Amino acid sequence: MSPTTEQGYKERMLRVLVHIQRRLDDPLELVELARLAHFSPYHFHRIFRGMVGESVMEHVRRLRLERAAMRLKARDLPVTQIAFEAGYETHESFTRAFRAMFGIPPAQYRETHRIMPPPPVPSGVHFAADGAPSDFIPHRSKGAAMDVRVEDVPPTKVVFVRHIGPYQACGEAWGRLFSWAGPRGLVGPGARLLGVCYDDPSVTPPDKLRYDACLTVTRDVAPEGAVGVQEIGGGRYAVTRHRGPYEKLGETYTRLCGEWMPAAGHEARSAPCMEHYLNSPMNTAPADLLTDIYMPIE
């Protein structure tokens, strides 16, 4: 395969992957996906499996089940509703598929993976009139109180390179993005560096985590090979600043979801988180790195 053909294949397949993740609740017919990528419907399923590592239906099924697992962790929706949203017509079929993927049924997964699991009730605990333990004190970390603002974020146009694998190994995607964007004059004052994290590392296997290394653009740019163009964001977000190495970002996410959101009365929205990198590890010590975390909320 010539470099030009290989780049063309990557560009067309990336278009399909972005389409799938944005329309995960749609039927996603194979013929329509092939048409979107300008591949022959007869061969599309083989091309997809060869490039992505799983069939179209396996890919869609996995994304829907992983989304269901995240909803079980973070929200109190009935299991039957989550099953329906994942594309299953019955509780039984959803439970079988969920157990096959995660090893336990949905209800048990919710109890063991809840973001803030309720502590065991000790003997002698007193209950308030509404049935809640009157002396229950939610867990609070030892860090300073979180500084969180709520923003309505407009959709933002970006060029991006997708990374599949552990989040901490996304450096190659950034290198490819800068190598492409630099000669085109896209890296300069006003351009923001954003990361889009699509998956929960506690749900999705490390080798299947999806991350987009993004650079904001204000003019028309055409996709090319592994470099795509899309709009990200749009909607209401809770925004907090993480100070320190990227390896510690997970701790700030945990505090934002498990401490601030319950206290503020907000619910997470079904959309990916975003990270805005305010300085660079190339010239900044890890302890001084600044990252704004954008958590989508209802």
Side-chain angles (χ1 to χ4, degrees), residues 214-278:
C214 305
L215 178 70
T216 60
V217 292
T218 56
R219 60 181 171 87
D220 289 339
V221 182
E224 183 178 342
V227 180
V229 180
Q230 64 175 327
E231 280 193 345
I232 62 174
R236 178 157 291 193
Y237 288 81
V239 186
T240 192
R241 182 158 296 176
H242 169 82
R243 293 174 171 82
Y246 298 144
E247 290 78 9
K248 299 286 188 179
L249 277 165
E251 298 177 8
T252 303
Y253 275 104
T254 298
R255 289 193 64 199
L256 183 61
C257 293
E259 295 182 22
W260 181 84
M261 285 180 62
H266 286 289
E267 290 280 348
R269 178 163 50 89
S270 183
C273 298
M274 299 190 300
E275 296 169 357
H276 179 198
Y277 309 109
L278 302 172

Side-chain angles (χ1 to χ4, degrees), residues 41-178:
Y42 184 79
H43 296 292
F44 176 67
H45 65 288
R46 296 186 181 92
I47 297 170
F48 190 97
R49 180 183 285 278
M51 296 186 71
V52 178
E54 53 194 348
S55 72
V56 175
M57 288 303 101
E58 287 169 346
H59 182 72
V60 171
R61 187 182 305 115
R62 177 174 63 80
L63 294 186
R64 287 174 175 169
L65 285 172
E66 288 172 355
R67 183 182 64 178
M70 289 190 285
R71 288 177 175 175
L72 286 167
K73 289 175 58 177
R75 307 178 72 175
D76 290 325
L77 298 172
V79 174
T80 50
Q81 181 178 339
I82 293 175
F84 180 76
E85 291 174 349
Y88 292 85
E89 295 183 357
T90 67
H91 182 283
E92 292 74 17
S93 61
F94 173 66
T95 297
R96 284 195 300 271
F98 194 93
R99 186 196 291 271
M101 184 166 178
F102 295 100
I104 55 177
Q108 184 179 347
Y109 185 93
R110 166 173 274 167
E111 290 305 314
T112 57
H113 292 79
R114 192 182 296 272
I115 289 177
M116 288 188 66
V121 179
S123 59
V125 70
H126 300 287
F127 287 82
D130 62 359
S134 60
D135 54 357
F136 168 64
I137 302 176
H139 170 76
R140 289 290 182 269
S141 66
K142 296 180 180 179
M146 298 194 79
D147 183 10
V148 183
R149 67 183 187 273
V150 174
E151 281 186 29
D152 289 317
V153 178
T156 302
K157 185 177 181 180
V158 299
V159 291
F160 72 101
V161 170
R162 173 150 297 187
H163 165 75
I164 304 291
Y167 284 147
Q168 62 267 28
C170 65
E172 182 180 349
W174 282 107
R176 295 176 72 180
L177 180 63
F178 281 122

